[in-house]
Amino acid sequence: MSSILPPTVKLLINGEFVDSQTDQWREVINPATQQVLARVPFATTTEVDAAVASAQEAFKNWRSTPISSRARVFLRYQQLIREHLKELATLLSADQGKTLADAEGDVLRGLEVVEHAASIGNLQLGELAHQVAGGVDTYTLRQPLGVCAGITPFNFPAMIPLWMFPMAIATGNSFVLKPSEQDPLVTMRLAELAMQAGIPPGVLNVIHGGAEVVNALCDHPAIKAVSFVGSTAVGTHVYQRATQAGKRAQCMLGAKNHAVVMPDANREQTLNSLIGAVFGAAGQRCMALSVLILVGEASQWLPELVDKARKLKVNAGCEPDTDLGPLVSRDARTRVERLIAQGLAEGAELLLDGRNPAVSGYESGNFVGPSIFAGVTPQMSIYREEIFGPVLCVMQADSLEQAMAIINANPYGNGTAIFTSSGASARRFKELIEVGQVGINVPIPVPAAMFSFSGSRGSRLGDLGPYGKQVILFYTQTKTVTERWFDEDDQSGAVNTTITL
Ligand code: NAD
């Protein structure tokens, strides 16, 4: 009896989508059904080298391609992404598990960065100081670095690759992308559309794999910069390895994001915002609110929050009206269930237990429903570890100062939010909180494309963030030119051995 193998995910090398010659493969699995959607290769060293070599070769022309031509590629690309939005979201939902609405959001947030890349003409301007000395001007050129690499996580397989290669390529670099091996399908479709938009062969390459491929990218002498988004453990390793090899690196890492609710907040708006930000995408967002600090009388709102969470609909992402889809893998589900058990064992009170929800028609899906712990302390493992699932840890504080002290003592600094109707409280919070992205009555304050993602402390390594203005600095080298011109017949100069212009 012959069996039909699922399709293979291709590598993109030098403008061609090619089959890998590797003997190491992994299955890409629909997390709601366990259906094998495809097989993804772990690229060989030869294939990694070929991708980098093609990027090196393509850089020679791309670096001097006029800025307006580079911008036009991204104008076409944004149009293609818009035209294929539904198709991309459907693929993403099947591959990753999130709801169709959330999958569209994943694509649309990435699209904003593509639109930003299309305005590269304004963004990559240098500076000029006229007359820094008699007849002398100084100006800067912002030149591309060469071959850059990006390594992305599973949870935003559209948005995060789109944070990286459009800005790197728009600034004149060539790129090698290594998507998550867990859900590469939508990323590959985006790569196809990018080529259709007119990115020349070799300027964008995509290879697949795990630790070995990532290490090869960190070590490769031709790669000048590495952009990473993923967990703290892996990102710390990538940062150290890439910088040790003399590269620029920016690594956006794990998180534990706290929400503070003041008793003067708008109750209904706050509770609804919290539900979306805690449980949306099954908690698999680096900006998910995973800790809630209720200040003073706000603690009385907890039963209502639990009621709202209990009503959320757990189902496959493709089903209408689903609020939470499955976790990305069996391993992720087992890990989240283990942490819930550990929370109970360490003495936290499980007000809502989302383990083993009944999901009719999808009995083998990796589902965990909304779960809420009260009485959580900073020593518990459910507080110290990033759970990355639909699990909320609730704490209480007597004052805003006490709430801020808890947050500032936590090692992570990705995002935080305060809910209040007091301008004074909000101002104190934004001034004193040691977290890089702050929401004021906004639960998930991911900055729009003209700003940069600005997580801080344990949630980031490297001083420049992805996309926005900061990434222009990351993907370019500043060259400073100081120049003076003489009239042909001006013979008035004298030898000058002092350090002056
Ligand atoms: P991950 O760290 O497991 O994987 C990220 C990438 O690293 C993948 O491409 C993977 O193939 C590669 N990788 C995995 N193990 C490796 C190893 N040992 N050596 C070298 N490379 C390795 O992360 P994930 O599970 O895919 O994503 C979830 C994590 O990403 C969470 O911690 C989340 O907070 C974080 N994240 C952070 C941000 C942010 O902006 N701060 C955004 C999204 C996700």
Side-chain angles (χ1 to χ4, degrees):
M1 199 174 81
S2 69
S3 66
I4 299 169
L5 282 176
T8 54
V9 182
K10 310 291 183 230
L11 307 173
L12 170 59
I13 299 177
N14 202 24
E16 303 284 330
F17 287 90
V18 294
D19 268 315
S20 172
Q21 298 307 309
T22 186
D23 54 9
Q24 288 181 53
W25 296 83
R26 176 193 159 113
E27 292 176 333
V28 179
I29 291 172
N30 178 322
T33 62
Q34 307 306 327
Q35 182 199 349
V36 179
L37 301 172
R39 293 189 313 137
V40 63
F42 281 45
T44 64
T45 310
T46 310
E47 289 162 345
V48 174
D49 288 345
V52 178
S54 105
Q56 243 181 319
E57 189 56 32
F59 176 64
K60 291 178 189 161
N61 277 334
W62 186 245
R63 63 173 302 165
S64 52
T65 300
I67 205 160
S68 54
S69 305
R70 281 187 258 143
R72 261 179 233 127
V73 168
F74 292 98
L75 280 175
R76 286 192 292 272
Y77 191 32
Q78 65 80 28
Q79 183 59 34
L80 283 170
I81 293 175
R82 272 178 207 292
E83 286 167 10
H84 292 82
L85 178 62
K86 296 281 178 211
E87 173 208 332
L88 289 163
T90 305
L91 188 58
L92 197 162
S93 172
D95 198 7
Q96 201 272 352
K98 59 179 74 173
T99 65
L100 287 170
D102 224 15
E104 276 196 24
D106 193 328
V107 178
L108 288 170
R109 288 314 299 264
L111 176 64
E112 290 174 11
V113 181
V114 177
E115 290 166 345
H116 202 233
S119 54
I120 193 66
N122 285 327
L123 300 172
Q124 207 174 342
L125 296 176
E127 296 173 314
L128 185 141
H130 183 226
Q131 207 74 344
V132 291
V136 178
D137 303 324
T138 296
Y139 57 90
T140 57
L141 308 177
R142 301 223 56 98
Q143 295 190 304
L145 303 177
V147 183
C148 300
I151 300 151
T152 56
F154 80 83
N155 66 328
F156 281 95
M159 178 185 81
I160 294 178
L162 292 176
W163 279 3
M164 294 182 184
F165 73 81
M167 294 305 281
I169 291 174
T171 47
N173 300 283
S174 54
F175 206 79
V176 179
L177 176 68
K178 206 300 286 171
S180 171
E181 67 281 27
Q182 298 198 66
D183 52 5
L185 301 186
V186 72
T187 318
M188 289 317 287
R189 186 70 187 114
L190 283 165
E192 282 172 6
L193 295 176
M195 300 313 284
Q196 206 177 316
I199 291 184
V203 171
L204 172 64
N205 301 271
V206 187
I207 50 170
H208 303 286
E212 219 172 298
V213 168
V214 169
N215 288 343
L217 294 174
C218 292
D219 296 345
H220 203 297
I223 292 178
K224 304 298 178 203
V226 173
S227 191
F228 171 92
V229 179
S231 64
T232 298
V234 177
T236 304
H237 162 77
V238 166
Y239 187 82
Q240 287 168 351
R241 192 149 177 159
T243 53
Q244 190 121 44
K247 304 181 197 322
R248 291 185 181 187
Q250 54 168 209
C251 298
M252 306 306 127
L253 311 173
K256 201 79 184 171
N257 306 306
H258 298 64
V260 175
V261 176
M262 301 299 288
D264 59 18
N266 178 316
R267 184 173 174 138
E268 191 60 18
Q269 294 281 357
T270 300
L271 291 176
N272 288 339
S273 295
L274 287 171
I275 290 288
V278 173
F279 301 114
Q284 297 172 115
R285 293 179 178 137
C286 68
M287 289 289 278
L289 290 176
S290 52
V291 182
L292 169 62
I293 308 180
L294 297 169
V295 177
E297 298 290 298
S299 61
Q300 290 171 12
W301 302 4
L302 188 51
E304 198 177 332
L305 185 77
V306 174
D307 273 352
K308 281 180 185 282
R310 189 177 285 117
K311 290 186 186 127
L312 292 175
K313 220 166 135 192
V314 181
N315 206 342
C318 61
E319 295 292 346
D321 304 327
T322 301
D323 295 308
L324 278 83
L327 293 171
V328 71
S329 65
R330 281 262 163 87
D331 284 354
R333 176 182 172 171
T334 307
R335 189 179 158 275
V336 170
E337 289 172 345
R338 174 180 57 75
L339 278 160
I340 293 175
Q342 221 162 323
L344 274 170
E346 289 174 9
E349 189 188 352
L350 189 55
L351 300 180
L352 186 61
D353 185 354
R355 288 173 294 179
N356 304 311
V359 182
S360 165
Y362 296 95
E363 284 73 14
S364 58
N366 312 321
F367 296 101
V368 177
S371 304
I372 300 182
F373 274 113
V376 176
T377 67
Q379 293 72 35
M380 293 178 179
S381 41
I382 49 171
Y383 180 78
R384 284 184 288 108
E385 282 191 43
E386 182 184 32
I387 301 177
F388 225 54
V391 183
L392 177 65
C393 295
V394 183
M395 303 168 95
Q396 286 181 10
D398 295 333
S399 63
L400 177 57
E401 274 59 37
Q402 205 184 2
M404 287 194 293
I406 295 171
I407 300 173
N408 287 345
N410 187 285
Y412 291 109
N414 218 30
T416 187
I418 184 169
F419 294 87
T420 181
S421 55
S422 157
S425 296
R427 190 166 201 285
R428 201 150 73 245
F429 187 76
K430 77 179 173 202
E431 288 288 324
L432 298 177
I433 209 69
E434 291 166 15
V435 175
Q437 303 178 102
V438 179
I440 296 173
N441 298 314
V442 171
I444 301 197
V446 175
M450 59 292 273
F451 296 90
S452 286
F453 194 89
S454 54
S456 64
R457 294 196 287 140
S459 296
R460 165 185 183 154
L461 286 167
D463 54 354
L464 296 170
Y467 69 89
K469 282 185 194 157
Q470 293 186 10
V471 98
I472 306 287
L473 299 176
F474 182 76
Y475 286 131
T476 58
Q477 168 70 46
T478 305
K479 188 180 276 176
T480 313
V481 181
T482 300
E483 69 180 29
R484 171 162 63 177
W485 297 93
F486 302 104
D487 286 333
E488 255 176 73
D489 55 356
D490 179 357
Q491 302 301 324
S492 63
V495 171
N496 185 352
T497 56
T498 55
I499 307 171
T500 59
L501 290 166

